[in-house]
Amino acid sequence: MPGILFLFLVVRLAVGNMDLAVELFEEQDWNNCRRECRRVFDDDPQAEKAALLGSISLLRQGNDIAAAQATLERLAAGAADREARAMAAYELGRLQWARGEAEAAARNLQKAFLLTSDHALFLRAGCSLDLLRKDSPIIGTLDPAVFQSLETSRALWSRDLVRECGMRKEKAGSILSKPGQWVVAFYRRGIRPAIGARCSLLPSCSEYFNQASRKHGLLAFPLIADRLVREPSVVVMQEHPVHVHDKIRFADPVEDHTWWWRKGCR
Amino acid sequence: MILFDDKTHLQFALIRVNSRFRILISVILIFLPLRGFGESEGARVALDLAREGDYAGAAVEFRRAAMESDQAPARGGWFWASAYEYHRAAKLSVSDRMLDRAEDADPALSDRALLLRGENAMKGGRWDESAFYFESAVEGAASDPQRAYAARKLAASRVRLKDVEGAEAALDRSSLRETDGRDALQAYREGRDKRPGLGGALGMLPGFGYFYAGEWATGFRSLILNSLFIFGMLHTAENEQWGAFAVITFFEFTWYSGSIYGGIDSTHRFNRRREDQCVDGILGRASFEPDSSVLPTVSLRFQF
């Protein structure tokens, strides 16, 4: 989910000592934003906004989701600030939706929808709730008042907003990327266990083929053929050494061999 | 050779010239760093982080120091230091934003901001932009070392833009003699770029595209592999082993397409390497870093 989503709210929620954290959040520098929030929180354990922003950053980073969820649950249930409560409920709802916990997600999204007085969050919570209902019919019927509000606000949902609120599934790549991925999967299951990882380059040849297949479809075949005949020369030249697990490997990313596709690039 | 920009240079010159002020100036020089560090506790942490290689962390600490500072020049200096660390962390757009703030806080920093903007553009491969910034940096340079540095960078940007004449003109504006840079440019001018289209066409003869770019070993490997697989195709076809033929043909198509692709890619690689050599020759060991002992005063130390 784009981090920019919360700018509208976050900027408004920002108080003096949160300025830097908010900026880092805007820049999607999750790690430093989390650190900064931690610092503010250490100074003032009552700083709900720091806890909120820190837990959202943790979520975006994908680390320790359980801890982030616990913080969000605490804030959604009992934050003193109404908007902080709504925001935490919204984030929690999205997280639960992504995990397939539709009923809990619907409860939290509905809570955010009803609590907030912020226009941006109101639209997003409503739109997410509507999409969730379509995604998981098991939720059942909504409270008639909520349903009515959703129907009223529907006209305000732009196409971009609907796209933003939709739960995107991981793209598997186009059909043209499949042959390369099959070859890599076969190699990794059937051949590599027998011969071991022996590539001296980074990424390894199978990973290079995999990346090239995902990005460039069938053009991955000439790319990997070129890589395989070049490999000994790249090792001999010893350019761009990288330490990986106490071994030296040589960087040779896909982009180094496709950069000239871009028009006007030298 | 290490040169200092005007302010620092002046301090050392004064020590040499007038012995009566030696003690006084020494005391000032000793207290300069203290004045800098006294501004923010975070700056010390930032310097430690930068020393440990955590440039993004250092940038955040400098940024905090800037936001906490209520004096405009100091704020500008910290923002500049933050931009420098973001540049080192390869966060180029954030670095540019920090430079905007640095200049807003202290317009006198514009010459040093230009240098860093040029560096950001260069790191991002935006040669037009880097040429523009270094052009301005040469014009507005506050000291000879700064001018020489900006001139070298301008020349390098011009080479990337395939403007060899422009590069030569840029070196003429340097305050140093630039013998190595001129030699590198001369060598570049005397050499010739390879044609990627021709490399691809030659690649239809397995390995010849690589030969064209001077990659002999790779070319021979491609030639041998293709020959083996073509032999395998013919042999299996003669014996009507169509299953084996299909498998070998699939691999041969891969090697063959790789030979054509490699012919094009290797010529691009050749051209880029030639360009890199010229740029390396022009730049030499030119680099700069802020004198961390006087931050938030931005005093640059150039090395050539």
Side-chain angles (χ1 to χ4, degrees), chain A residues 106-240:
Chain A
R107 262 198 313 278
N108 280 307
L109 289 173
Q110 187 170 321
K111 185 175 180 179
F113 182 67
L114 294 174
L115 263 179
T116 187
S117 52
D118 181 89
H119 184 63
L121 182 58
F122 175 75
L123 292 182
R124 281 166 175 79
C127 184
S128 298
L129 186 57
D130 193 54
L131 291 170
L132 173 64
R133 273 177 56 224
K134 287 176 187 159
D135 201 29
S136 317
I138 54 158
I139 294 169
T141 51
L142 289 171
D143 181 313
V146 176
F147 183 76
Q148 188 60 41
S149 294
L150 270 185
E151 289 305 312
T152 314
S153 61
R154 188 183 297 277
L156 300 171
W157 302 341
S158 66
R159 197 174 291 175
D160 286 343
L161 183 83
V162 175
R163 199 176 304 131
E164 184 191 307
C165 292
M167 193 53 67
R168 279 183 287 272
K169 294 187 172 62
E170 190 68 26
K171 269 191 169 180
S174 74
I175 188 77
L176 294 179
S177 72
K178 293 292 177 200
Q181 290 180 35
W182 290 334
V183 174
V184 172
F186 170 72
Y187 167 77
R188 286 181 175 172
R189 277 193 198 156
I191 300 176
R192 193 167 65 179
I195 63 170
R198 49 179 60 204
C199 186
S200 308
L201 307 185
L202 189 75
S204 67
C205 288
S206 63
E207 183 53 32
Y208 182 93
F209 193 25
N210 204 20
Q211 288 178 14
S213 292
R214 282 178 185 277
K215 284 183 193 163
H216 309 300
L218 292 177
L219 273 170
F221 283 91
L223 274 164
I224 188 62
D226 172 56
R227 164 64 112 75
L228 290 171
V229 293
R230 264 188 311 106
E231 185 187 343
S233 303
V234 177
V235 175
V236 168
M237 285 169 76
Q238 304 209 326
E239 284 179 344
H240 316 303

Side-chain angles (χ1 to χ4, degrees), chain B:
Chain B
M1 171 174 47
I2 296 177
L3 298 170
F4 293 87
D5 79 348
D6 274 350
K7 210 171 286 172
T8 320
H9 201 72
L10 185 67
Q11 289 165 354
F12 284 95
L14 277 171
I15 294 171
R16 281 202 307 272
V17 169
N18 195 334
S19 60
R20 278 184 301 176
F21 292 117
R22 193 171 293 166
I23 296 169
L24 176 65
I25 290 170
S26 302
V27 169
I28 292 170
L29 284 172
I30 288 165
F31 278 99
L32 265 176
L34 294 179
R35 183 199 56 137
F37 286 129
E39 297 269 350
S40 167
E41 184 71 22
R44 233 184 313 228
V45 179
L47 291 173
D48 284 344
L49 287 171
R51 242 172 258 130
E52 288 164 13
D54 181 1
Y55 304 127
V60 171
E61 293 301 329
F62 280 131
R63 194 166 163 179
R64 182 192 337 271
M67 291 168 87
E68 283 172 359
S69 174
D70 27 352
Q71 290 181 326
R75 199 163 57 244
W78 293 129
F79 273 130
W80 191 95
S82 174
Y84 177 74
E85 296 301 340
Y86 273 126
H87 165 78
R88 296 212 290 176
K91 294 189 168 187
L92 306 178
S93 59
V94 191
S95 176
D96 281 335
R97 269 206 301 281
M98 292 303 111
L99 289 173
D100 290 342
R101 292 185 187 184
E103 284 187 279
D104 286 346
D106 183 6
L109 279 174
S110 62
D111 59 322
R112 283 146 285 177
L114 270 176
L115 280 186
L116 210 43
R117 281 187 201 282
E119 292 289 343
N120 284 342
M122 244 182 152
K123 206 169 193 169
R126 292 171 277 130
W127 313 120
D128 280 322
E129 261 183 64
S130 67
F132 170 78
Y133 288 129
F134 285 122
E135 179 90 51
S136 310
V138 171
E139 280 168 19
S143 65
D144 281 349
Q146 197 167 327
R147 181 173 297 107
Y149 180 85
R152 281 190 189 187
K153 287 284 181 170
L154 174 59
S157 304
R158 292 270 177 234
V159 169
R160 295 291 187 195
L161 291 166
K162 303 279 180 200
D163 176 12
V164 181
E165 305 300 324
E168 192 132 31
L171 288 182
D172 289 340
R173 295 162 74 183
S174 170
S175 48
L176 300 174
R177 289 184 63 195
E178 305 296 354
T179 324
D180 291 345
R182 286 179 208 284
D183 289 347
L185 263 182
Q186 187 58 28
Y188 183 72
R189 208 197 306 260
E190 283 167 3
R192 281 186 66 184
D193 276 352
K194 304 273 184 191
R195 288 158 55 198
L198 182 56
L202 286 170
M204 289 180 192
L205 295 171
F208 279 68
Y210 292 111
F211 293 153
Y212 174 61
E215 296 185 8
W216 296 95
T218 310
F220 277 117
R221 274 192 293 274
S222 177
L223 182 59
I224 291 166
L225 273 169
N226 275 282
S227 306
L228 281 173
F229 278 80
I230 289 170
F231 171 77
M233 279 169 67
L234 294 174
H235 186 73
T236 48
E238 273 175 17
N239 293 304
E240 298 186 1
Q241 298 167 324
W242 299 116
F245 175 82
V247 173
I248 292 173
T249 304
F250 168 74
F251 280 106
E252 171 47 26
F253 268 120
T254 303
W255 293 125
Y256 189 71
S257 61
S259 169
I260 296 171
Y261 187 87
I264 303 170
D265 189 44
S266 58
T267 50
H268 278 291
R269 205 157 42 236
F270 174 89
N271 295 342
R272 192 164 63 171
R273 222 168 252 153
R274 215 168 78 76
E275 205 174 272
D276 287 347
Q277 274 171 3
C278 178
V279 167
D280 289 347
I282 289 170
L283 294 179
R285 289 164 57 196
S287 64
F288 73 82
E289 59 178 5
D291 185 351
S292 57
S293 63
V294 298
L295 281 171
T297 303
V298 181
S299 172
L300 302 183
R301 194 161 49 187
F302 291 92
Q303 186 158 4
F304 294 97

